Amino acid sequence: MGLDGIVPAGVVTGENLIKLFEYCKKNGHALPAFNCTSTSTINAVLQAARDINSPVIIQFSNGGAAFLAGKGIKNTNEKAAILGAIAGAQHVRLMAKHYGVPVVLHSDHCAKKLLPWFDGMLEANEEYFKANGEPLFSSHMLDLSEEFDEENITTCAKYFKRMAAVNLWLEMEIGITGGEEDGVDNTGVKAESLYTKPEQVYNVYKALSPISPMFSIAAAFGNVHGVYKAGNVVLSPHLLKGHQEYAKQQLKCAENKPLFLVMHGGSGSSAAEIGEAVSNGVVKMNIDTDTQWAYWDGLRGFYKKNEGYLQGQIGNPDGADKPNKKFYDPRVWVRAAEESMIKRAFESFENLNGRNVCGDSWPKA
């Protein structure tokens, strides 16, 4: 088993992306999708994927993309978010093939108010497609779950037609992920909105499947963004099995899991809950809160360990005239943050049955 001969190393798009997600669904794997906000966090994720020998998803939120562009650029009409997403994508494209693993390049939640950001990324994809025969990104997410289902699905279908022309994958959300993330606050939604019904999911399939097979559905099953103690969020991953069974019944097909499903709001979820979601056809799970903490925790640990060497440029426990440059050099403490993030990323791969997905025969970078 493995991906050698199925998909290449580097950014994966189009038919290769379908092959990758089909392989994951068939073999009980899901890919962790790590939100990145800098070349440092991107590189940490790429190293984690290489070291564990598995494909990975790197994604940018709207706010993360704007940050990547630099806080000195105003985000008027989503300018910074568009530029940051493109810059991040270009960095991933350059480095992914050298880390030697398949990488899915994705943008995260795009609510209705952020559609100009989506439009800007689509334009970049179309330009890249003209020059290279594939899109700049692998996929994008439209999150119109706050709108009525009819508007949500209709808008997704409209954009999906444009995306399909350049072989882009669409991830959409139906039902609402609770909590708050990156400026999207769903803390006050009604509990029933956190559980998507099979009929809603199948309505998405009916609308999108005639356009292209390249789409996935983030169906809510009690998910909540943010960080919570294990057990404080009541997930119902068995509902995903119901979505698959309903779709199979409606389609009258032999495939037990005809849908590509996505899991959001996984922080604080138990390994058993995540495992059940993967067994029911989840091929992607978003990771953000936990790796944010891990990155900070690496820096915090570095400071505590070396506090006496970080109080000035000169002077430390070894002597009043001793220099401290090797301690305050950003390459040192940023690397400590990266190493902590890499270690936490390994946990996500493990929880998603994502170790050595590339297989023993995969060429080593």
Side-chain angles (χ1 to χ4, degrees):
M1 299 294 289
L3 290 169
D4 191 20
I6 298 176
V7 297
V11 173
V12 176
T13 65
E15 288 294 328
N16 284 328
L17 185 53
I18 295 176
K19 291 176 186 177
L20 177 58
F21 282 143
E22 285 282 11
Y23 181 91
C24 290
K25 187 169 65 168
K26 179 181 178 181
N27 293 285
H29 306 296
L31 303 184
F34 296 101
N35 282 70
C36 293
T37 57
S38 64
T39 55
S40 171
T41 50
I42 289 169
N43 293 345
V45 170
L46 288 172
Q47 183 182 336
R50 182 199 66 193
D51 291 352
I52 209 164
N53 199 37
S54 288
V56 70
I57 300 172
I58 290 176
Q59 62 187 23
F60 308 113
S61 68
N62 176 268
F67 182 83
L68 208 154
K71 298 300 285 186
I73 295 182
K74 292 182 179 179
N75 199 27
T76 306
N77 297 322
E78 302 300 325
K79 177 183 177 179
I82 293 166
L83 290 174
I86 294 170
Q90 290 172 337
H91 180 79
V92 172
R93 276 204 165 268
L94 179 61
M95 300 310 301
K97 55 191 173 188
H98 296 289
Y99 278 88
V101 290
V103 177
V104 180
L105 186 49
H106 182 70
S107 66
D108 202 7
H109 296 265
C110 179
K112 185 176 181 179
K113 64 183 179 181
L114 301 178
L115 285 176
W117 175 49
F118 203 90
D119 293 334
M121 291 187 293
L122 274 187
E123 290 176 9
N125 280 298
E126 289 164 346
E127 289 179 12
Y128 195 91
F129 187 87
K130 287 178 183 178
N132 300 281
E134 66 172 345
L136 176 62
F137 284 80
S138 309
S139 56
H140 295 289
M141 183 195 182
L142 278 173
D143 181 2
L144 305 174
S145 56
E146 293 181 331
E147 316 307 322
F148 289 114
D149 282 6
E150 183 178 357
E151 180 181 353
N152 181 356
I153 295 171
T154 300
T155 304
C156 284
K158 182 186 77 171
Y159 272 100
F160 194 33
K161 290 174 183 176
R162 184 176 169 188
M163 294 172 71
V166 292
N167 295 333
L168 278 165
W169 185 285
L170 171 66
E171 176 187 332
M172 68 83 67
E173 182 164 347
I174 190 141
I176 294 175
T177 300
E180 188 275 333
E181 182 183 52
D182 203 35
V184 179
D185 189 350
N186 290 327
T187 53
V189 301
K190 295 180 180 178
E192 59 265 28
S193 298
L194 302 180
Y195 299 92
T196 309
K197 298 177 178 62
E199 294 82 0
Q200 291 176 283
V201 174
Y202 187 65
N203 283 340
V204 174
Y205 183 90
K206 283 194 300 182
L208 299 186
S209 58
I211 300 170
S212 166
M214 293 179 57
F215 66 94
S216 51
I217 303 170
F221 53 100
N223 324 59
V224 178
H225 285 135
V227 59
Y228 302 87
K229 285 185 178 181
N232 282 13
V233 176
V234 181
L235 291 180
S236 300
H238 65 276
L239 295 176
L240 302 178
K241 184 177 181 180
H243 299 333
Q244 298 283 15
E245 290 174 343
Y246 184 84
K248 178 182 179 180
Q249 180 184 15
Q250 296 299 312
L251 294 168
K252 298 179 173 59
C253 66
E255 171 62 60
N256 288 326
K257 293 181 285 188
L259 307 171
F260 293 105
L261 299 176
V262 173
M263 179 176 178
H264 292 185
S267 298
S269 305
S270 69
E273 288 169 331
I274 294 171
E276 185 176 357
V278 174
S279 71
N280 289 329
V282 164
V283 295
K284 170 182 180 280
M285 176 176 159
N286 287 7
I287 318 288
D288 189 15
T289 305
D290 293 334
T291 42
Q292 284 181 348
W293 171 259
Y295 194 90
W296 154 248
D297 200 38
L299 174 55
R300 182 176 66 98
F302 178 85
Y303 180 82
K304 290 179 69 175
K305 179 182 177 182
N306 301 292
E307 187 171 359
Y309 300 86
L310 294 166
Q311 303 308 308
Q313 287 184 285
I314 303 292
N316 59 49
D318 298 330
D321 60 346
K322 298 294 184 181
N324 296 316
K325 180 170 170 47
K326 66 179 181 180
F327 293 96
Y328 64 75
D329 185 331
R331 290 171 293 182
V332 180
W333 48 265
V334 168
R335 182 56 183 167
E338 291 174 356
E339 288 172 345
S340 180
M341 183 176 177
I342 290 167
K343 184 177 178 181
R344 179 57 186 82
F346 287 159
E347 290 184 35
S348 296
F349 280 102
E350 295 283 4
N351 288 339
L352 296 168
N353 191 28
R355 174 179 285 277
N356 196 32
V357 174
C358 289
D360 294 336
S361 63
W362 185 263
K364 298 299 182 282

